[in-house]
Amino acid sequence: QVQLVESGGGSVQAGGSLRLSCVASGDDYDTYYLGWFRQAPGKEREGVASISSHGTITYYADSVKGRFTISRDNAKNTLYLEMNSLKIEDTAMYYCAAVPAHRGGTAIRTLGVTEFRYWGRGTQVTVSS
């Protein structure tokens, strides 16, 4: 089992950048596949980006491709999301999530909310004009 805590959210103007972090605790962090998700008020939670256990494979939602970069530092048990060229529509609560490696391939490929087993509490990102 792994526990996840997000940080780095805040308010930023459109066109700006923000870096989110997710620190994990628990055993075998480096065996988990990870993802970032977001949910705006009144909308469904959606996948943003995902990454394999060693960081060699990544996936992105079309809406953030070319603007966001997901990465991980397993030595620090930390997942990152670099967000650039932020848009107002990026405003949402951002969550990190994890899934054991044996089911991680499918989970990160589909960015499916229901595929991930462990979730953080979220960090708010607000993009203003």
Side-chain angles (χ1 to χ4, degrees):
Q1 190 172 12
V2 62
Q3 294 77 48
L4 307 168
V5 180
E6 304 94 336
S7 64
S11 298
V12 63
Q13 292 188 346
S17 299
L18 208 58
R19 187 195 199 197
L20 305 183
S21 298
C22 175
V23 178
S25 61
D27 295 332
D28 301 318
Y29 167 80
D30 59 353
T31 69
Y32 288 88
Y33 285 38
L34 305 171
W36 284 102
F37 297 80
R38 67 187 183 186
Q39 187 169 21
K43 299 183 67 177
E44 298 290 326
R45 188 170 298 186
E46 63 177 351
V48 175
S50 59
I51 190 166
S52 60
S53 59
H54 298 293
T56 56
I57 303 172
T58 59
Y59 295 93
Y60 296 92
D62 288 341
S63 60
V64 307
K65 199 169 298 181
R67 299 189 298 119
F68 291 9
T69 301
I70 188 171
S71 62
R72 63 191 293 170
D73 185 341
N74 288 349
K76 296 181 178 180
N77 284 7
T78 303
L79 172 72
Y80 302 99
L81 184 67
E82 293 280 356
M83 304 184 293
N84 300 309
S85 301
L86 283 162
K87 304 175 180 179
I88 293 175
E89 52 263 44
D90 293 320
T91 295
M93 183 73 74
Y94 283 71
Y95 303 88
C96 64
V99 59
H102 68 277
R103 299 191 67 84
T106 297
I108 67 169
R109 186 171 63 252
T110 63
L111 272 171
V113 171
T114 60
E115 300 293 330
F116 285 77
R117 296 188 180 185
Y118 307 104
W119 295 83
R121 292 296 188 94
T123 185
Q124 179 67 40
V125 172
T126 302
V127 184
S128 61
S129 61

